[in-house]
Amino acid sequence: LGYGVTIAGLRWRNPVTIGAGFFVPWVPGQTERDLPLDALGAITVKSVSLEPWAGNPPPRLYRSEHWTLNSIGIQNPGVDALVRDHLPGLRRYGVPVVGSLAAYTVRDFAELARRLEASGLVDALELNMSCPNTAREQMAFGQTPEAAGSLVGAVRAATRLPLFAKLTPDCADVPAVARACQEAGADALVLVNALPAMSLDPATGLPRTGTLTAGLSGPALKPLALRLVWQTYESVSVPIVGIGGIASAEDAMEFLLAGAAAVGVGTATIGDPEALRRIVAGLERLVAERGGDTAALTGLAHRIRARRSPGAAGGGDAAP
Ligand SMILES: Cc1cc2nc3c(=O)[nH]c(=O)nc-3n(C[C@H](O)[C@H](O)[C@H](O)COP(=O)(O)O)c2cc1C
């Protein structure tokens, strides 16, 4: 009971984390000094790989009013540097630390899980399943239930830490992928990652980001993310962390009502790190106005809908 939530056995003092990629401890300006990490219910760290990754050519970010494209390419110094230089300081916040894993092979994901668990410095592992699976023609791990299930199963066998599967919205049937992850042992689902997209400069015909396609995030992603949380909530029993375009406490409340047990905030923190504190405090007021128990609000919109139109439970309204 209360504002805090329990996700995969971990107590979050409030239901808000920072999206993977926005607390980047090795980049000046995105460090714990510059972000109000003390406000969060859990700290999710930027994805790391086994070896250092150089990332993509610039420009890596293109911002328009309602959306952002990024092609960072998971630039990172590798898991060992993260463990040695950046994770130890996070313990003082006294909240769960979620390590995010990026790899091109199942084997590397499993090895990452082992190393992070051995560090004793993370409380849960999040699998960034938007990485292209090199063993399967570059399809992202999260694009089919089979690939997703075998990845989660392999990492499940490699670690006892709680496992969060972070899904891509770029697939035919997100709830089916989510179910496969749950069956393979995922303790929670994170919905959604950025959506592959692109933008061209009309004057030059050149892409606006260093890679032709880049990840769409920000407010334009929110209705899609919300729909996927809604549908997935009806397909799984594990908790869902909703992420995609959340920029206000009201946005976060929408995700709770649609089925999220907690939320992540990403793009809204770019240039406005205080967005985190604002959303945490504002959501606490909204939750208090509706009875004060976050967990009771999770998925409430489904129950409201079922009461108003018996027999209409489900995601099922067809498009016009
Ligand atoms: C600059 C940037 C970097 C990101 N880095 C990661 C990452 O390292 N790992 C990951 O799983 N997702 C990453 N994401 C995706 C976000 O965590 C999030 O799922 C997505 O941006 C949608 O949420 P938002 O609209 O609140 O940003 C990144 C997104 C952006 C814009």
Side-chain angles (χ1 to χ4, degrees):
L1 225 99
Y3 189 34
V5 294
T6 302
I7 310 279
L10 299 169
R11 189 67 188 164
W12 297 23
R13 63 192 174 199
N14 66 61
V16 183
T17 189
I18 184 167
F22 298 89
F23 168 47
V24 190
W26 50 87
V27 170
Q30 280 190 43
T31 66
E32 46 182 313
R33 279 195 310 285
D34 308 292
L35 286 165
L37 297 183
D38 57 314
L40 296 172
I43 297 173
T44 307
V45 184
K46 167 82 185 171
S47 299
V48 290
S49 45
L50 220 39
E51 303 297 330
W53 283 0
N56 288 327
R60 291 175 166 185
L61 212 58
Y62 177 78
R63 305 258 283 151
S64 82
E65 192 186 345
H66 298 296
W67 47 265
T68 293
L69 287 178
N70 92 83
S71 62
I72 311 286
I74 319 204
Q75 178 179 9
N76 78 90
V79 63
D80 295 336
L82 176 79
V83 166
R84 186 185 62 233
D85 301 332
H86 305 293
L87 289 183
L90 299 181
R91 276 291 172 227
R92 71 170 177 281
Y93 293 98
V95 299
V97 173
V98 183
S100 171
L101 284 51
Y104 294 127
T105 64
V106 170
R107 225 182 132 139
D108 284 2
F109 269 110
E111 179 58 22
L112 278 165
R114 279 186 214 101
R115 290 205 203 169
L116 281 169
E117 178 170 22
S119 79
L121 295 170
V122 299
D123 304 293
L125 300 175
E126 182 171 296
L127 303 178
N128 180 350
M129 300 178 59
S130 302
C131 296
N133 176 352
T134 46
R136 291 204 194 199
E137 294 152 17
Q138 302 288 323
M139 281 245 312
F141 282 97
Q143 275 180 304
T144 64
E146 295 73 25
S150 60
L151 172 58
V152 170
V155 178
R156 178 72 292 162
T159 179
R160 301 179 58 172
L161 286 174
L163 262 190
F164 300 0
K166 182 166 181 187
L167 304 191
T168 174
D170 184 35
C171 90
D173 192 345
V174 169
V177 172
R179 269 194 309 276
C181 291
Q182 174 176 293
E183 278 158 22
D187 302 291
L189 298 160
V190 183
L191 269 66
V192 292
N193 213 310
L195 178 67
M198 61 183 276
S199 178
L200 298 174
D201 179 342
T204 63
L206 293 170
R208 302 215 205 237
T209 48
T211 54
L212 175 61
T213 61
L216 175 73
S217 67
L221 186 61
K222 200 189 86 179
L224 171 64
L226 197 74
R227 192 259 292 177
L228 294 171
V229 168
W230 177 284
Q231 292 177 334
T232 301
Y233 178 76
E234 298 189 336
S235 307
V236 299
S237 55
V238 294
I240 298 169
V241 180
I243 176 167
I246 295 173
S248 69
E250 286 76 11
D251 292 342
M253 178 58 87
E254 264 188 272
F255 276 84
L256 296 183
L257 297 175
V263 296
V265 180
T267 298
T269 66
I270 299 179
D272 182 16
E274 286 306 312
L276 291 170
R277 221 186 280 286
R278 216 171 46 237
I279 291 168
V280 169
L283 184 60
E284 183 166 23
R285 279 191 298 274
L286 294 181
V287 169
E289 281 167 15
R290 305 188 70 145
D293 185 21
T294 303
L297 296 174
T298 292
L300 179 62
H302 295 258
R303 300 186 285 280
I304 291 172
R305 191 173 141 78
R307 277 202 300 275
R308 286 175 63 97
S309 45
D317 285 358

